[in-house]
């Protein structure tokens, strides 16, 4: 055996980070999660410097679960690729890089909390690590669980309440147990045909999945309200809209029965903006179906199709604002501190969040632009979470209502601008 044949394993061990940028930052699915994680780290550090530690735990938890989703995405792609096992040391290299990213994100957050003496954030941080590890373990155990990646972000606001009921040592024990299970599954990685199906579906549907209801007449009529906007995403959009009130009522009853303070209205408002991001992500991934939509006998040319598309977007925004407002009014019966002024702010924030997201999304023509546009979701989440913190501290809601006015105007302008950018180069281009 020659020296050249012996060298590759040694080179793999000595250079575990070779090709890391290409692997992690040139994959749109991965970089969308890692970009959110990086933004959370930067914003969390800025909040610590400014002394606003009450929001840091939420931002750092969002960063942690985003990094976990990015790692789970890469591991799923690893077992979905048949050639990954044929390259010596390739799997070990990806696992080392994943571990490095996880240690870097967690280490940065812990170090920042120690430097700024924000020790109360560390307990929730380790709970977020446990949630992230649990998600990675589920994805390694069964690939189709990656469709539930959106549940990670829904779970983040609950961590604050859970951390108050769970000690730091209990969180560390849970993390250690899950880490042991993840390591065990990583040592048994093998090609999985189901992982490739998950990979393709996740790219097209924006990493979201919900079951469909077929054969129900009133559901079909409800879907027609949002045609042709929902042409590319299919029945998933309708199922998300119908599931929101059901989930909200269930969480309200759970909160009332067990006396747990759950940020239900915040979750619904956040999810409405996420659904807007998924709409245009699906349009870009399935842009070749635009010609099929154009050939339907429903429009008078390209301008008529664009006008119909935006009218359906306006109906969708109105429906989401109505859903959030009604859920807020219902939740006010359980939580009297939700005043009418705050519900007005919540409805306006839902309007401008959805409007800006749909307007910018209409102008996106490739996956890179759609990924960058998803930062609107993160910005909306931060603003709304800070307004909830002001409500909790019994501060005035008036500044947030004043902030809603220019943002609402910006949302209207974004919609008008997006209408001119959508299919600007015809139906043969995204």
């Amino acid at each position: 055996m020659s020296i050249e044949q012996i060298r590759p394993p040694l080179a793999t061990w000595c250079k575990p980070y070779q090709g890391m940028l290409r692997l992690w930052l040139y994959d749109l699915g991965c970089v969308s999660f890692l970009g959110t994680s990086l933004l959370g780290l930067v914003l969390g550090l800025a909040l610590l410097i400014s002394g606003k530690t009450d929001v840091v735990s939420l931002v750092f938890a969002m960063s942690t679960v985003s990094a976990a989703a990015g790692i789970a995405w890469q591991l799923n792609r690893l077992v979905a690729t048949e050639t990954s096992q044929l390259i010596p040391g390739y799997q070990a290299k990806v696992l080392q890089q994943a571990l490095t990213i996880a240690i870097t994100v967690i280490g940065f957050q812990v170090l920042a909390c120690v430097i700024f003496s924000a020790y109360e954030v560390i307990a929730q941080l380790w709970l977020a690590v446990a949630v992230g590890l649990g998600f990675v373990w589920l994805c390694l155990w069964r690939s189709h669980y990656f469709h539930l990646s959106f549940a990670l972000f829904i779970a983040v606001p609950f961590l604050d309440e859970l951390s108050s009921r769970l000690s730091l040592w209990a969180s560390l024990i849970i993390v250690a147990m899950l880490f042991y299970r993840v390591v065990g599954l990583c040592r048994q990685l093998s090609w999985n045909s189901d992982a490739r199906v998950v990979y393709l579906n996740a790219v097209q549907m924006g990493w979201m999945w919900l079951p469909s209801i077929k054969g129900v007449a009133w559901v079909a009529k409800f879907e027609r309200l949002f045609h042709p906007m929902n042409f590319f995403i299919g029945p998933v959009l309708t199922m998300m809209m119908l599931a929101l009130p059901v989930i909200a009522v269930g969480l309200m009853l759970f909160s009332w029965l067990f006396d747990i303070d759950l940020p239900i209205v915040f979750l619904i408002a956040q999810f409405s903006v996420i659904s807007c991001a998924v709409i245009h992500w699906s349009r870009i991934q399935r842009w070749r179906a635009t010609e099929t939509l154009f050939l339907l006998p429903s429009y008078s040319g390209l301008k008529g199709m664009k006008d119909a598309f935006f009218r359906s977007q306006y109906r969708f925004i109105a429906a989401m604002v109505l859903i959030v407002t009604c859920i807020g009014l219902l939740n006010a019966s359980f939580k009297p501190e939700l005043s009418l002024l705050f519900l007005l702010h919540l409805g306006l924030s839902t309007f401008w969040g959805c409007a800006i997201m749909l307007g910018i999304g209409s102008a996106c023509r490739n996956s890179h632009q759609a990924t960058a546009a998803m930062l609107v979701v993160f910005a909306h989440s931060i603003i709304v979470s800070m307004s909830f913190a002001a409500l909790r501290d019994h501060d005035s809601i008036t500044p947030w209502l004043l902030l809603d006015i220019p943002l609402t105007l910006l949302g209207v302008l974004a919609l008008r601008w997006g209408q001119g950018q959508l299919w600007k180069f015809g139906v043969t281009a995204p």
Side-chain angles (χ1 to χ4, degrees), residues 253-295:
L253 293 175
F254 179 83
S255 176
W256 177 67
L257 290 173
F258 295 94
D259 194 23
I260 300 175
D261 186 17
L262 301 179
I264 300 167
V265 186
F266 169 77
L267 294 176
I268 302 302
Q270 182 68 21
F271 204 76
S272 64
V273 184
I274 293 176
S275 62
C276 295
V278 178
I279 288 170
H280 283 288
W281 177 271
S282 301
R283 177 185 64 82
I284 291 171
Q285 295 297 327
R286 297 177 174 178
W287 65 270
R288 293 178 181 84
T290 308
E291 292 186 62
T292 304
L293 176 63
F294 182 66
L295 292 175

Side-chain angles (χ1 to χ4, degrees), residues 373-429:
M374 289 182 183
L375 294 177
V376 175
V377 178
F378 194 77
H380 176 267
S381 175
I382 295 301
I383 293 176
V384 175
S385 63
M386 292 177 69
S387 67
F388 268 91
L391 177 69
R392 182 194 60 197
D393 297 336
H394 305 288
D395 294 337
S396 176
I397 304 300
T398 304
W400 301 102
L401 285 171
L402 294 176
L403 179 62
D404 287 329
I405 295 174
L407 289 175
T408 300
L409 179 61
L410 180 62
V412 174
L413 294 176
L415 279 174
R416 297 298 299 272
W417 173 72
Q419 187 171 1
Q421 297 297 316
L422 183 65
W423 297 314
K424 186 177 182 180
F425 301 106
V427 296
T428 58

Side-chain angles (χ1 to χ4, degrees), residues 20-42:
M20 184 175 180
L21 294 179
R22 172 67 60 175
L23 179 65
W24 293 83
L25 299 185
Y26 283 78
D27 181 276
L28 290 173
C30 182
V31 77
S32 62
F33 290 116
L34 293 184
T36 303
S37 179
L38 178 61
L39 185 61
L41 292 178
V42 174

Side-chain angles (χ1 to χ4, degrees), residues 209-273:
W209 175 89
L210 282 173
S212 62
I213 299 176
K214 298 181 180 179
V216 183
W218 67 269
V219 173
K221 293 180 180 179
F222 186 75
E223 281 188 321
R224 284 199 291 269
L225 288 174
F226 309 106
H227 180 79
M229 183 193 67
N230 59 358
F231 178 81
F232 301 95
I233 193 173
V236 175
L237 181 67
T238 304
M239 302 322 304
M240 286 193 295
M241 296 180 68
L242 296 177
L244 282 180
V246 177
I247 294 173
V249 172
L251 290 176
M252 287 180 199
L253 293 175
F254 179 83
S255 176
W256 177 67
L257 290 173
F258 295 94
D259 194 23
I260 300 175
D261 186 17
L262 301 179
I264 300 167
V265 186
F266 169 77
L267 294 176
I268 302 302
Q270 182 68 21
F271 204 76
S272 64
V273 184

Side-chain angles (χ1 to χ4, degrees), residues 170-371:
S171 300
L172 291 174
I173 292 173
I174 295 174
V175 168
M177 293 173 61
L178 288 171
F179 182 75
Y180 175 78
R181 293 297 301 160
V182 168
V183 170
L185 290 176
C186 286
R187 290 176 176 174
Q188 304 171 8
L189 288 180
S190 60
W191 179 74
N192 185 355
S193 60
D194 294 334
R196 177 172 174 79
V197 177
V198 172
Y199 178 82
L200 295 177
N201 288 341
V203 167
Q204 292 184 346
M205 301 306 295
W207 307 288
M208 299 189 70
W209 175 89
L210 282 173
S212 62
I213 299 176
K214 298 181 180 179
V216 183
W218 67 269
V219 173
K221 293 180 180 179
F222 186 75
E223 281 188 321
R224 284 199 291 269
L225 288 174
F226 309 106
H227 180 79
M229 183 193 67
N230 59 358
F231 178 81
F232 301 95
I233 193 173
V236 175
L237 181 67
T238 304
M239 302 322 304
M240 286 193 295
M241 296 180 68
L242 296 177
L244 282 180
V246 177
I247 294 173
V249 172
L251 290 176
M252 287 180 199
L253 293 175
F254 179 83
S255 176
W256 177 67
L257 290 173
F258 295 94
D259 194 23
I260 300 175
D261 186 17
L262 301 179
I264 300 167
V265 186
F266 169 77
L267 294 176
I268 302 302
Q270 182 68 21
F271 204 76
S272 64
V273 184
I274 293 176
S275 62
C276 295
V278 178
I279 288 170
H280 283 288
W281 177 271
S282 301
R283 177 185 64 82
I284 291 171
Q285 295 297 327
R286 297 177 174 178
W287 65 270
R288 293 178 181 84
T290 308
E291 292 186 62
T292 304
L293 176 63
F294 182 66
L295 292 175
L296 293 178
S298 306
Y299 322 106
S300 57
L302 179 58
K303 184 179 184 302
M305 186 174 75
K306 292 171 64 174
D307 292 341
F309 191 94
F310 270 83
R311 283 195 299 269
S312 63
Q313 286 196 150
Y314 299 148
R315 290 193 293 270
F316 177 75
I317 293 175
M320 296 310 299
V321 171
L322 181 62
I323 289 174
V324 172
T325 304
C326 291
I327 292 174
L329 289 171
L330 183 60
N331 197 28
S333 60
F334 295 90
K335 300 175 64 176
E337 63 270 18
L338 292 176
S339 62
L340 291 177
L341 278 179
F342 185 80
L343 293 178
L344 175 62
H345 156 66
L346 200 63
L348 288 174
S349 64
T350 303
F351 174 84
W352 61 255
C354 292
I356 294 175
M357 187 68 252
L358 289 174
I360 295 178
S362 299
C364 295
R365 293 185 173 85
N366 54 56
S367 300
H368 294 84
Q369 295 174 356
T371 301

Side-chain angles (χ1 to χ4, degrees), residues 99-165:
L99 181 62
T100 301
I101 291 175
I103 293 176
T104 301
V105 171
I106 299 170
F108 178 88
Q109 294 175 347
V110 173
L111 183 62
C113 291
V114 171
I115 291 176
F116 291 94
S117 302
Y119 301 106
E120 67 279 1
V121 179
I122 297 179
Q124 184 170 342
L125 172 61
W126 284 111
L127 202 55
V129 173
V131 172
L133 274 174
F135 178 71
V136 173
W137 171 68
L138 283 175
C139 293
L140 289 172
W141 181 46
R142 295 288 187 273
S143 297
H144 64 270
Y145 281 118
F146 187 83
H147 288 306
L148 300 178
S149 57
F150 71 94
L152 283 176
F153 303 95
I154 294 178
V156 166
F158 298 100
L159 297 181
D160 193 15
E161 178 70 24
L162 189 58
S163 63
S164 63
R165 300 169 181 265

